[in-house]
Every structure is written in structure tokens, then in C-alpha cells.
Amino acid sequence: MEHRQPRDPAAEQDRLMALRAINLLDTAPLDTLDQITRLASEIFNMPISLITLVDAHRQWFKSSVGMGDVQETSRDDAFCAWTIEQRNVMVVEDATRDPRFADNALVQGTPHIVFYAGAPLLLTSGHALGSLCVIDTKARSFNRQQQGQLATLASLAMAQIELHQRAGRVHEVTRLPNRAQLMHDLQDLRAQSAQGTAGGGMVLIDLLGHLRLQAAVRAVGIGRLEQILREIAAKLRAIVGADWPIYHVSETRFCVPLRGADTAQQERFAQQLLAGLQAPFQHGGVAVELTPRAGLVAYRPHIENAADALRKASSAMQEAAARGRDYLWHDDAFDAAHQRAFHLLQDVPAGLEQGHFRLVYQPKLNLRQRTFSGVEALARWQHPTLGDIAPGEFIALIEGTPLIHAFTLWVLNTAIGQLAQWREQGIQLTMAFNVSPRNLDEAGFVEQVRKVCARHGVPPDSLHIECTETAVMTKQETRDALTALQQMGAQISLDDFGMGYSNLACLRELPVEMLKLDQSLIKPVDTNPRALHLVKSLVFMGHSLGYRMLAEGVETRAVYDLVVEAGCDAIQGYYLSRPLEAADIPGFMAAHPALAGPALDAGHTQATLA
């Protein structure tokens, strides 16, 4: 007999992983499949009908009619091994006259196959598991209509397998138990722990993360990525063993119950999993190297519900990724931070409506004019129950959500309205405020700025729009918005300069007039000669490119003198003034109409810091 070797070994390996992932091999009979094999025998008047699964070295019968106690045969003898390669109905009318099968052990011996017709069982992924076949001990013909009927029955059998898999809650790619099955199993564990004695734990592993998943799909396509995921599932199976549960709970996340009697043993088990996944492997001639992160959690079923256990594992995993750690055990402190962030975001709309937010204004010294010619608007939040919320906390939260649009509109109206009041009092100032990339990407943002200025009678050239370096170097839409704002008359400042890309080739093409040197560069200039040299170099470079340079975070007289000497055009910081309430700005401006020399005197310093 001719031995059938797979045409594509790599594709065969992928098929075998899909076959084993469905967990049907060596399982109990299914009534629905037995009904289909019996129906096939009746429709075609065949003594034998089988639903077979073709493994690496054997053909196993999931359902059979007419084969007695025989449950499997060698793959070398399996007609169905040819069917899965052909991937459509295969008919052998007389095996004794077919050179492929004439010497076959199943032809020469029991069950003495002469006629065979088989239709492949195909997963939605395209993988062939085996076949639905009908067999006779005498030669027969099998017309196209009969072939179509057999293919229809195979489709029904496959639908039952898929339905069984869905009912069994499996992931459609790896065929591992999915999140729903994990929840079901954890609930079972809860039911078994009525006395409060049972417990366990789990490790949740993220292989790629959302952004890297998107990049992988763009690079190799979803089909190739699914093959890689199946290989990863096989790696996990090899590490934990055939009988240990593995759950595929989302695109790139797997969950495994922890093994071990105590925390130390469980942690060693998690380390073993991660080490196995971190080992590079070959796929399609390319080395694949993963950087998995894991979250570990103890599950106390008599206290916690299943969903909360998975949430805690996810929280620990995300915290591990944020800290650059391979894994972390869950800590309640992780939840506290996320819950606080969630509740703060919920309270932002009410805070804007009920006046819990306000703006304060920090004067900026123009060294060319020797005057305080502008202020920067800074948001403050007095939460009704939590007290003062630091800007570094709430601004970062708001910027990550659509709330940034309503928040920035509130800043615009408040800041420009305040500027209009000062102008009525004869105080001519420029107003700086920060905008996020999401604002600049908003289609109507530029027009919003125009309308707010018109409503309050404030010329746009009184505005300083500040944005971070990373924001303006990402999207063309962002640059277009800045250009439109500049054409309207607003001045554009690049905030936190020196902390982002510092891409000089892009910088010269941006509609920017001022660079704000980040305070982390400014604060050490009086104690670190290299820091001072860096600031001087940046100021020289900025002036060479036609930018004005502002030093922020100036807090002492020594630093003030050095940044003045370095050639900065403007200065901002606690040495000059802390952020002031709107009502205090007129008094401040009256007390400091102009500077007489390159530095402030001691009396001025004491007054502004009081």
C-alpha cells in the first residue's frame, strides 16, 4: 500500500494543533453524531459508516456503525487520511482495483473494504478534522447527487461538533476552553466550597497586549497570527501537561489555574510558564519571541465571585506591565487606585456644572519687555468629598477620555472670559492654556476657539496655545489645527520641550513660536554644570531656529540668574509667583509693573512667595 504523507508538514502540524484543541479525541460518544452515522448507513444502504478524527499516527472513530468494538486504526491504513488532503468528497468504487489501496490492511483484512466514500469534516478555520465516511464490502458506484448528500451530512456532523464546542465554551481559534468556561468552572469550585475550605488561584498571561496585537495583525495578517496563537497554546500544553486546564480568555490572554500547595510553589509554577513562553520559537522561518506579562491571584470561592477573581488577575497583570515586571501577585492597593480613577472620572461632568473646578493663573515674566506680560491658566479641582485633587492626577485621567472636549471648552470659556474682564480693567495680558492632542484632532476645535474669542471680544492674538512635543509630532491633522490657530492670530508654544522626541527635523516645520524648557531641565542648573550647559545649548539652538525660549520651574534666585544669563526670553516659576486666584492678578500686576535690572530684589521674592 502507498503510505500517505502530508503534502505540507507545516500545515499538517497546524491541523493537528486544531484537532487536539477541540478535545474530542478519546471522548465519550455523542448521541447527535451517532444519529448522523446511523442515518448515513440508512440513506446509502451501507453496512459501515464512521465519523473519524485523523490524528498524527491513527484514525480514531468518534462515532461508528458496523465496526463492532474497533475504535481506531493506523493512519497509514486510513482512507480518511486521503480525504482530508483532498478536502472534498473522495470516492473509491473498488479498492481492490485501486493501486493506492489494493494492498491496504483494511482491504485485505477486516473489515474488507471494497467501496469507500468520505466527506471531510472542516472547521470554520479551514482545518480538516477527519471525515464522515460510508463503507461497503462490495464495489459500488456513487453519483454526484449521493456525493452531495454525503457532504450535507458531513456539514451536519460538523455543525453538531461546533455546537458542542460552543456549548462547551471553547475559543474558536485555539479550541481551548474560553472565558465563559473559566467562569463556569470557577462557579463550580465555589459550589464545592460550601464549608469555606476549598480554594485555589490562577495566573493570567498577556502575550502581546492590545497595541502589539494590532501591529502583529498589520504585519502578518490575522490568519498567520491565529497560527501563532495555536502554537502558543501547544507550548502551554507542553509545559503544564495534558491534564491541566488552560483557558484562552481573550485574543492574546491565557489563564491557567496555579499548581502548588502554597504561594511559593504556585509562584514557581507561574515562573515556569513564563520561562517556557519567553523561549523563542520558529514560525514560518521567522523567530518569534514573546514578552509575556502575568497577574497572579488567590481565589477564595467562599468569599469572591468568579468575575472578580479574573478582574483582580487582570489588574495585577496590568500593574506588572506598568512596572516592567514579568508578573505580580494581586494587591488590593491596585484596585484602590483604579476605583479612585473611575469615580473621579464619573464626577467630572458634575464638577464642571457645579463649579468644583476653577482656574488659577501663574504670571510669566517677559525678559525682553521687563514686564509680566502674560499668565498661564492652570486648572484646580476642589472635590466635594475628596478635597483637592492634584492636577497631575485628574488632567491625565480626563485626557484619556472624551471628557477632554467638554473640559477644554470649559477652560476656553473661563480663561478667555477672565481675560476679557482684565482687559476691561485696563490690564493687557496674554493667556496661555494647554490643549491635548484629542482637542487638536477634533474637527470643530479651531472654530470653537474662534467663537469663544468673538463672544468675549478678545482678539486671538492674546492667546498662547500650549501643547506637548509628542502631541504635535504624531498626526498631520494635529499640525493642520495648529497652523489654523496660528493663522487666526494665536501664538503656539511647545510645552515640556526636551522631554519628548526632540526631533529637530520635524520641529523646524511646526507652526511653533516658543519652546518651554521643562522644569526637570531647569531645576538642577545651579548644582549641575552639565545641566546648565544643556540649557545654554538648547537656548542657543532655539534662538538659531527662530524660537523664543521660556524656562519653567524657576524656584530660586540662583536658578533665575543662571537662566537669565543663558539667554531665556521668558521665565515662569515659584520664584516669581505661585499660581494666583483671578482676583489677585490685578494687585500683582500693579505691584510689579516693570523690572529695573536682570534680577528681582529680595523684597519682591518674599512678597510673591508669601
Side-chain angles (χ1 to χ4, degrees):
M1 188 200 79
E2 178 182 346
H3 292 275
R4 187 64 181 154
Q5 298 296 329
R7 295 192 188 101
D8 184 342
E12 172 64 6
Q13 187 63 31
D14 195 41
R15 187 195 72 82
L16 287 173
M17 284 191 289
L19 169 65
R20 290 162 187 167
I22 66 170
N23 293 319
L24 277 179
L25 286 167
D26 301 308
T27 57
L30 286 176
D31 287 343
T32 53
L33 295 183
D34 289 344
Q35 290 172 13
I36 291 174
T37 52
R38 288 195 296 270
L39 182 61
S41 284
E42 293 172 6
I43 289 176
F44 301 113
N45 191 25
M46 297 281 182
I48 298 172
S49 63
L50 306 168
I51 290 177
T52 70
L53 300 177
V54 181
D55 202 357
H57 303 292
R58 62 172 177 155
Q59 169 185 249
W60 181 75
F61 305 150
K62 176 62 181 173
S63 178
S64 69
V65 170
M67 287 296 289
D69 294 333
V70 178
Q71 293 185 324
E72 64 181 58
T73 69
S74 166
R75 176 168 174 163
D76 284 342
D77 298 326
F79 284 58
C80 295
W82 292 76
T83 301
I84 63 172
E85 285 278 333
Q86 187 167 309
R87 298 177 63 79
N88 52 36
V89 175
M90 186 180 83
V91 177
V92 179
E93 293 185 344
D94 188 345
T96 64
R97 296 177 179 274
D98 191 315
R100 296 173 296 176
F101 304 108
D103 296 329
N104 190 300
L106 301 179
V107 176
Q108 295 296 323
T110 305
H112 299 287
I113 297 174
V114 176
F115 172 85
Y116 169 92
L121 302 174
L122 298 173
L123 289 167
T124 54
S125 61
H127 297 98
L129 302 179
S131 77
L132 167 64
C133 63
V134 289
I135 294 170
D136 203 342
T137 56
K138 60 185 179 182
R140 299 180 56 154
S141 61
F142 208 66
N143 60 36
R144 288 189 175 277
Q145 180 181 1
Q146 290 173 312
Q147 292 178 34
Q149 290 171 332
L150 184 63
T152 298
L153 287 175
S155 296
L156 290 175
M158 198 64 244
Q160 289 301 316
I161 290 174
E162 294 278 9
L163 181 61
H164 175 71
Q165 291 295 300
R166 286 194 294 272
R169 304 179 179 93
V170 301
H171 193 279
E172 62 180 4
V173 174
T174 60
R175 317 305 287 188
L176 291 173
N178 62 11
R179 182 181 180 278
Q181 185 63 51
L182 172 63
M183 294 296 101
H184 180 270
D185 291 349
L186 291 178
Q187 292 292 359
D188 278 352
L189 186 60
R190 182 184 180 93
Q192 295 165 13
S193 65
Q195 302 303 317
T197 56
M202 67 178 74
V203 53
L204 181 66
I205 303 171
D206 194 335
L207 300 171
L208 296 172
H210 179 65
L211 295 179
R212 291 187 63 198
L213 172 65
Q214 290 180 331
V217 170
R218 293 183 64 181
V220 302
I222 188 66
R224 179 68 66 84
L225 181 62
E226 288 178 347
Q227 291 176 0
I228 293 174
L229 286 172
R230 284 189 285 272
E231 292 188 35
I232 291 168
K235 281 171 68 74
L236 277 171
R237 175 60 63 207
I239 296 169
V240 305
D243 299 326
W244 198 253
I246 303 172
Y247 301 87
H248 192 167
V249 296
S250 70
E251 288 126 326
T252 62
R253 293 184 179 181
F254 294 82
C255 188
V256 182
L258 287 170
R259 179 181 288 163
D262 54 39
T263 299
Q265 292 176 330
Q266 293 172 350
E267 190 164 321
R268 284 194 294 273
F269 176 68
Q271 291 169 343
Q272 179 186 2
L273 285 177
L274 291 173
L277 290 172
Q278 288 166 349
F281 63 95
Q282 292 289 321
H283 175 81
V286 177
V288 178
E289 188 171 0
L290 303 173
T291 54
R293 298 282 188 253
L296 285 64
V297 64
Y299 177 50
R300 299 163 295 178
H302 55 290
I303 298 176
E304 300 164 308
N305 61 44
D308 205 43
L310 187 59
R311 178 190 63 78
K312 288 181 176 181
S314 178
S315 176
M317 181 195 64
Q318 291 169 353
E319 191 67 26
R323 299 186 188 185
R325 299 275 297 276
D326 287 346
Y327 67 91
L328 281 176
W329 282 95
H330 176 265
D331 188 303
D332 288 342
F334 302 162
D335 293 342
H338 290 295
Q339 289 168 359
R340 174 180 169 88
F342 177 76
H343 291 304
L344 284 177
L345 284 173
Q346 280 189 314
D347 293 342
V348 168
L352 292 174
E353 288 183 10
Q354 298 171 17
H356 301 155
F357 288 92
R358 75 184 195 281
L359 293 181
V360 293
Y361 305 89
Q362 186 170 37
K364 297 194 294 184
L365 177 63
N366 185 322
L367 287 171
R368 290 184 179 180
Q369 300 176 0
R370 314 299 298 168
T371 62
F372 288 94
S373 59
V375 295
E376 179 180 1
L378 302 168
R380 297 291 185 264
W381 187 4
Q382 178 70 31
H383 193 278
T385 59
L386 299 176
D388 287 327
I389 310 298
E393 180 180 10
F394 72 79
I395 294 294
L397 290 175
I398 294 173
E399 281 187 327
T401 73
L403 288 171
I404 190 61
H405 301 301
F407 182 78
T408 302
L409 185 59
W410 171 81
V411 171
L412 274 174
N413 277 300
T414 305
I416 294 176
Q418 183 59 61
L419 195 60
Q421 292 182 33
W422 289 332
R423 289 171 66 87
E424 290 176 359
Q425 299 174 42
I427 302 171
Q428 301 294 324
L429 292 171
T430 59
M431 177 69 74
F433 53 87
N434 204 284
V435 299
S436 85
R438 294 176 73 116
N439 297 136
L440 296 171
D441 293 341
E442 187 182 7
F445 179 69
V446 175
E447 188 58 29
Q448 278 184 342
V449 175
R450 190 192 311 276
K451 288 181 178 179
V452 173
C453 285
R455 185 184 313 125
H456 292 288
V458 171
D461 60 11
S462 297
L463 305 183
H464 277 258
I465 307 293
E466 296 188 357
C467 51
T468 60
E469 186 179 350
T470 53
V472 298
M473 293 188 180
T474 52
K475 293 184 180 180
Q476 185 61 45
E477 294 85 351
T478 306
R479 303 185 194 187
D480 292 343
L482 289 174
T483 299
L485 288 167
Q486 187 184 56
Q487 291 172 347
M488 187 194 305
Q491 300 179 64
I492 310 298
S493 298
L494 200 60
D495 202 7
D496 300 334
F497 182 72
M499 298 303 295
Y501 293 106
S502 297
N503 188 328
L504 302 183
C506 293
L507 185 61
R508 65 186 180 188
E509 300 175 0
L510 297 173
V512 173
E513 294 146 300
M514 175 179 282
L515 305 181
K516 294 183 67 175
L517 295 174
D518 186 75
Q519 59 182 322
S520 64
L521 301 175
I522 297 299
K523 288 183 177 181
V525 296
D526 61 333
T527 57
N528 187 330
R530 294 183 65 182
L532 178 60
H533 182 71
L534 175 60
V535 168
K536 288 182 177 180
S537 299
L538 289 173
V539 171
F540 176 79
M541 178 208 68
H543 286 160
S544 300
L545 294 173
Y547 299 111
R548 289 177 290 122
M549 306 297 293
L550 182 147
E552 60 180 352
V554 175
E555 297 184 356
T556 67
R557 172 64 178 266
V559 171
Y560 173 88
D561 288 339
L562 288 171
V563 296
V564 169
E565 180 186 344
C568 287
D569 303 289
I571 295 176
Q572 180 178 349
Y574 283 7
Y575 175 67
L576 302 175
S577 175
R578 292 180 180 273
L580 302 173
E581 300 293 338
D584 295 331
I585 288 293
F588 178 90
M589 299 306 297
H592 309 96
L595 298 181
L600 302 177
D601 59 32
H604 176 87
T605 304
Q606 293 170 359
T608 57
L609 293 181

